[in-house]
Amino acid sequence: MTVHFPFQNSYSALPDSFFARVAPTPVAAPRLIKLNRPLAVQLGLDPDLLETPEGAEILAGKTVPAGADPIAMAYAGHQFGNFVPQLGDGRAILLGEVIDQDGARRDIQLKGSGPTPFSRRGDGRAALGPVLREYIVSEAMFALGIPTTRSLAAVVTGEHVMRETVLPGAVLTRVASSHIRVGTFQFFAVRRDTEAIRRLADHVIARHYPELIDAERPYHALLAGVVARQANLIARWLLVGFIHGVMNTDNSSISGETIDYGPCAFMDAYNPSQVFSSIDEMGRYAYANQPRIALWNLTRLAECLLPLFDEEQEKAIAEAQDILGAFSETFSVAYQAGLRKKVGLFTERDGDDALIQDLLDAMAKNQADFTLTFRKLADAAGDPDADDARAQFMDPGAFDEWAKRWRERTALEPQSAAERQAAMHAVNPLFIPRNHRVEAVIQAALADDFTPFEEFVKVLQKPFEDQPDYAAYADPPLPDQRVLQTFCGT
């Protein structure tokens, strides 16, 4: 039987200026190392056929399936604040779109599938390490309930790529609600192509915000919708200690999904100034800066949409500023509500925000592990004698002082200790893709041992559940295991 992809390609039906038609470059000897079988089923694909040699050839870009209309998408972007008028998919090719079992349109894209007209002297390939990192982290984010692109498959190509050294080549099959970015709008704005901006905005509304089609001012409503989704997304990042690492405008999704997992990482010890990206020397994309940068990116989107708002620029700017003004409140509401859930508060009272901030301040001062502090606090909610949370603090007395106030506050609520613990366990993960574990998995894979990768992915599928057989995966790194820098996958 032949692997069948029920493609319906709406983006490639847009004008030619939106993309370049280009086929993936065939590779020597593709070998499937991981297929996300549940996701394949969700997409209406046959996982058994995808696991055949024919399936591996498709997932590596060696064979283009029937119905595909492969394209490299055009976009621009601000990279660390510097504008580049043409970026585009330099090592990714969108095969097409499918309608999943929930009726949602999903892109199927190959990353590392060869050069495109946007490659800018790059080889268009990907190394195995970054492919595995994106697979691990994106699927972990999905299990954590955070909007994200997904990983359908990872394939080794049988070829090598040259980076700082010679590395095995690989291809990731990425699934997204779409790959339309703030930078996609910027590509046309810098060219003053207002009609293309309008076509793109109409496409985005129809695809991602269909409830806005009949809005009185649909383009204003579109900006408001993107602002709301991004504000909620960034709040959810912060609530699990996630640092994206490269929040450039070309890595900011219009759909509200987390996209482009390059030098991303989850914090171990809580530090609002934490930076992992090797190229973020000024800390632009540090953990605590992410809300501010998201608003900066959204402001760039608003600039692109101004011609659709009003012919009078001053009026258009005022309207855009009014919409952007909602970001801070939307983010704050989502973030504070999430923090209350993390510490087991079901109601709101005066002083709650200060109580939670005092915990965060003590965590930062005492280098407390972000994930384990909240998880062990959940244990303490159900057992007054549980002291694993205080063990995260260099000065356990700092936790004791705070915990006394916390217990006084929770005593004012009607929920039982068991109810509070269950609710806290449901929002405070035990297992996250810690950097040192990701690196260990990659090193094993470079020696062609994918057993640690398989086990790690399995554990991360159930981040909120106690998994006694895999308890070691919850441990923070020892001093000699700490990973202080992560790198882009290009």
Side-chain angles (χ1 to χ4, degrees):
M1 293 180 65
T2 301
V3 181
H4 175 62
F5 286 75
F7 286 120
Q8 295 185 22
N9 303 323
S10 64
Y11 200 85
S12 63
L14 292 168
D16 290 347
S17 58
F18 283 62
F19 51 80
R21 282 195 160 83
V22 55
T25 302
V27 298
R31 175 167 60 96
L32 181 67
I33 55 176
K34 181 65 177 177
L35 177 69
N36 189 336
R37 290 180 65 91
L39 179 55
V41 172
Q42 175 69 17
L43 296 171
L45 306 175
D46 187 330
D48 292 333
L49 291 179
L50 286 174
E51 289 182 335
T52 64
E54 179 192 358
E57 289 192 356
I58 291 172
L59 296 168
K62 187 173 183 178
T63 301
V64 176
D69 192 1
I71 59 173
M73 295 171 64
Y75 50 84
H78 279 88
Q79 299 193 317
F80 289 88
N82 301 307
F83 185 67
V84 182
Q86 180 168 300
L87 293 167
D89 289 331
R91 61 190 184 107
I93 293 176
L94 176 62
L95 289 181
E97 306 153 16
V98 299
I99 308 300
D100 72 12
Q101 291 190 339
D102 294 329
R105 185 177 295 270
R106 312 287 291 278
D107 280 0
I108 298 181
Q109 182 198 67
L110 302 180
K111 287 190 69 176
S113 52
T116 77
F118 305 112
S119 293
R120 295 180 300 161
R121 301 191 303 277
D123 62 7
R125 293 302 190 188
L128 178 60
V131 165
L132 295 186
R133 174 180 289 275
E134 178 153 354
Y135 193 107
I136 291 167
V137 182
S138 64
E139 287 305 301
M141 292 284 273
F142 175 74
L144 289 165
I146 298 172
T148 179
T149 59
R150 302 283 308 275
S151 294
L152 176 61
V155 178
V156 288
T157 62
E159 300 176 352
H160 289 88
V161 297
M162 176 61 73
R163 297 298 182 257
E164 292 81 7
T165 183
V166 177
L167 297 167
V171 176
L172 178 81
T173 305
R174 181 163 72 183
V175 175
S177 293
S178 84
H179 287 84
I180 302 169
R181 310 143 188 272
V182 171
T184 317
F185 282 89
Q186 290 181 294
F187 180 83
F188 298 109
V190 73
R191 290 160 177 79
R192 302 184 184 278
D193 190 343
T194 301
E195 184 53 35
I197 295 172
R198 189 184 307 277
R199 287 288 297 272
L200 181 60
D202 289 344
H203 177 86
V204 168
I205 290 171
R207 182 162 182 175
H208 296 302
Y209 301 87
E211 69 278 7
L212 305 181
I213 290 175
D214 296 323
E216 182 178 346
R217 300 195 299 178
Y219 305 122
H220 294 71
L222 171 61
L223 178 60
V226 180
V227 166
R229 288 193 190 180
Q230 283 288 330
N232 281 283
L233 177 67
I234 306 304
R236 295 172 86 162
W237 286 2
L238 267 58
L239 291 168
V240 294
F242 177 74
I243 303 171
H244 185 280
V246 277
M247 287 180 65
N248 299 328
T249 56
D250 56 292
N251 294 336
S252 180
S253 169
I254 297 299
S255 71
E257 290 181 329
T258 313
I259 191 171
D260 286 327
Y261 293 91
C264 60
F266 284 73
M267 282 195 300
D268 294 310
Y270 176 64
N271 174 10
S273 301
Q274 183 69 62
V275 173
F276 283 100
S277 173
S278 63
I279 56 177
D280 191 4
E281 297 176 355
M282 304 302 293
R284 177 181 175 88
Y285 300 143
Y287 170 81
N289 279 353
Q290 292 178 126
R292 180 178 64 83
I293 291 298
L295 178 56
W296 193 92
N297 290 346
L298 289 164
T299 304
R300 307 288 79 77
L301 173 63
E303 291 167 352
C304 298
L305 295 174
L306 289 178
L308 308 185
F309 278 19
D310 198 280
E311 291 181 359
E312 184 183 331
Q313 188 173 38
E314 287 188 10
K315 182 180 179 183
I317 290 173
E319 292 170 348
Q321 288 175 333
D322 185 56
I323 295 169
L324 292 167
F327 177 90
S328 294
E329 177 70 12
T330 303
F331 166 79
S332 180
V333 168
Y335 181 56
Q336 294 300 330
L339 285 174
R340 282 195 300 275
K341 290 180 180 178
K342 287 180 78 68
V343 300
L345 299 182
F346 293 84
T347 61
E348 294 184 49
R349 288 176 178 261
D350 290 342
D352 285 353
D353 291 352
L355 176 68
I356 296 168
Q357 188 59 52
D358 287 347
L359 172 62
L360 292 171
D361 291 344
M363 289 168 61
K365 185 177 181 179
N366 285 271
Q367 299 179 26
D369 186 86
F370 183 86
T371 300
L372 288 184
T373 297
F374 285 105
R375 182 69 180 195
K376 300 306 180 182
L377 187 65
D379 294 342
D383 179 4
D385 296 325
D387 62 358
D388 284 352
R390 72 190 302 272
Q392 304 302 319
F393 290 69
M394 294 170 58
D395 173 16
F399 174 78
D400 294 340
E401 184 277 331
W402 180 86
K404 180 175 181 292
R405 295 159 54 204
W406 172 64
R407 292 195 183 281
E408 290 171 352
R409 169 64 183 87
T410 57
L412 299 177
E413 299 196 330
Q415 286 77 17
S416 68
E419 288 173 323
R420 176 164 287 103
Q421 183 183 69
M424 292 174 71
H425 277 161
V427 297
N428 289 309
L430 179 58
F431 299 101
I432 57 168
R434 292 185 182 268
N435 303 328
H436 68 296
R437 286 287 184 182
V438 173
E439 292 300 324
V441 162
I442 290 173
Q443 291 306 310
L446 292 175
D448 205 35
D449 179 6
F450 293 96
T451 303
F453 168 70
E454 287 282 355
E455 185 170 275
F456 196 31
V457 169
K458 177 183 177 182
V459 171
L460 294 172
Q461 288 174 353
K462 299 177 180 179
F464 301 104
E465 297 183 17
D466 286 317
Q467 302 179 61
D469 291 345
Y470 303 108
Y473 281 98
D475 293 342
L478 298 172
D480 64 341
Q481 294 176 318
R482 289 176 183 157
V483 176
L484 303 178
Q485 284 192 329
T486 53
F487 300 87
C488 284
T490 52

